[in-house]
Amino acid sequence: SFRSYRGDIKRLLSNSHVVAILASSNLTNMARFSILTFLPIYVQETLHYSSFVLGIYLSLLYAMGIVSQPVMGLLSDRLGRKVVIVPSLAAMGLIYVGMVFAPGGIILGFLVGMLGLFFYAILNIQHSALLDVAPDDVQSSTFGIMILFSVPFSLISPPLVGYLVTELGIKISFWFAAITMFLGMAILLPIRFIEAPAASAAG
């Protein structure tokens, strides 16, 4: 019922670990939507590259993730979620900063490929981390609640960054993504994650 669902939301939001992971995940989503929206505009309208080159850049985001997702998932199971998530967010933030100064061409392609290692895989690990800390009897509701709270942030990101781009230029979209990544990392630094079973056994 709606009443029980509302009760599940209250229970989840009373857990500081859940709130921290939700906030970090939402910031990750905001950065992701900023890049997906404005990287194509940057490549075609600022760098004046063809649609073919844009297709190569975007393919790198997906292709590198195919390689990294199983590896990062295994590492998070063996070593713990935080050991993977926090450095990944830091790496993404640094890559976004690098994209501000990249001249284009192979260097930008290299950075986009490096970004692809984390771009989608990190969201799956954040979901797993949320399930680790969520109460056992609301596991089935957790993903729905996560989506419920992520939608407003995901929807606001493109118009917000669009306004900033209009006022400050296209590269502000990369700065925005970098700042949100560093904020997402900072939120998780004081949080003690519940270790995944494999990580506990290894320890």
Side-chain angles (χ1 to χ4, degrees):
S1 65
F2 177 76
R3 179 177 296 180
S4 64
Y5 189 72
R6 185 175 60 185
D8 290 343
I9 294 176
K10 288 182 178 179
R11 291 177 59 196
L12 284 173
L13 295 184
S14 66
N15 187 318
S16 61
H17 292 66
V18 169
V19 173
I21 295 171
L22 276 174
S24 179
S25 177
N26 286 337
L27 288 167
T28 304
N29 266 325
M30 291 178 73
R32 187 164 65 97
F33 275 91
S34 174
I35 294 302
L36 288 175
T37 302
F38 293 99
L39 177 61
I41 297 173
Y42 175 69
V43 169
Q44 292 197 292
E45 296 189 5
T46 302
L47 298 180
H48 304 292
Y49 289 161
S50 67
S51 298
F52 175 73
V53 174
L54 173 61
I56 293 175
Y57 283 154
L58 294 180
S59 294
L60 288 172
L61 284 177
Y62 293 93
M64 298 303 289
I66 293 173
V67 176
S68 67
Q69 288 196 49
V71 174
M72 291 178 64
L74 178 62
L75 288 175
S76 73
D77 288 338
R78 294 292 179 86
L79 303 178
R81 312 296 184 204
K82 188 174 183 178
V83 174
V84 175
I85 293 175
V86 170
S88 296
L89 297 182
M92 292 173 72
L94 292 174
I95 291 169
Y96 289 137
V97 172
M99 292 171 70
V100 174
F101 301 101
I106 294 176
I107 295 177
L108 180 61
F110 172 77
L111 290 173
V112 172
M114 292 298 295
L115 180 63
L117 293 173
F118 311 99
F119 200 67
Y120 294 103
I122 194 63
L123 291 173
N124 294 331
I125 299 174
Q126 287 172 327
H127 293 169
S128 299
L130 184 62
L131 288 176
D132 289 341
V133 300
D136 291 339
D137 58 340
V138 294
Q139 293 279 315
S140 60
S141 304
T142 300
F143 276 123
I145 293 171
M146 189 174 195
I147 293 172
L148 175 67
F149 281 90
S150 69
V151 166
F153 293 94
S154 299
L155 292 179
I156 199 175
S157 180
L160 172 61
V161 180
Y163 172 78
L164 295 175
V165 166
T166 301
E167 297 295 321
L168 302 172
I170 187 68
K171 288 192 175 182
I172 195 65
S173 61
F174 302 136
W175 283 117
F176 175 87
I179 291 170
T180 55
M181 284 295 90
F182 290 135
L183 286 175
M185 178 194 69
I187 288 171
L188 296 180
L189 284 176
I191 298 298
R192 182 178 176 84
F193 280 42
I194 295 177
E195 292 186 343
S200 301

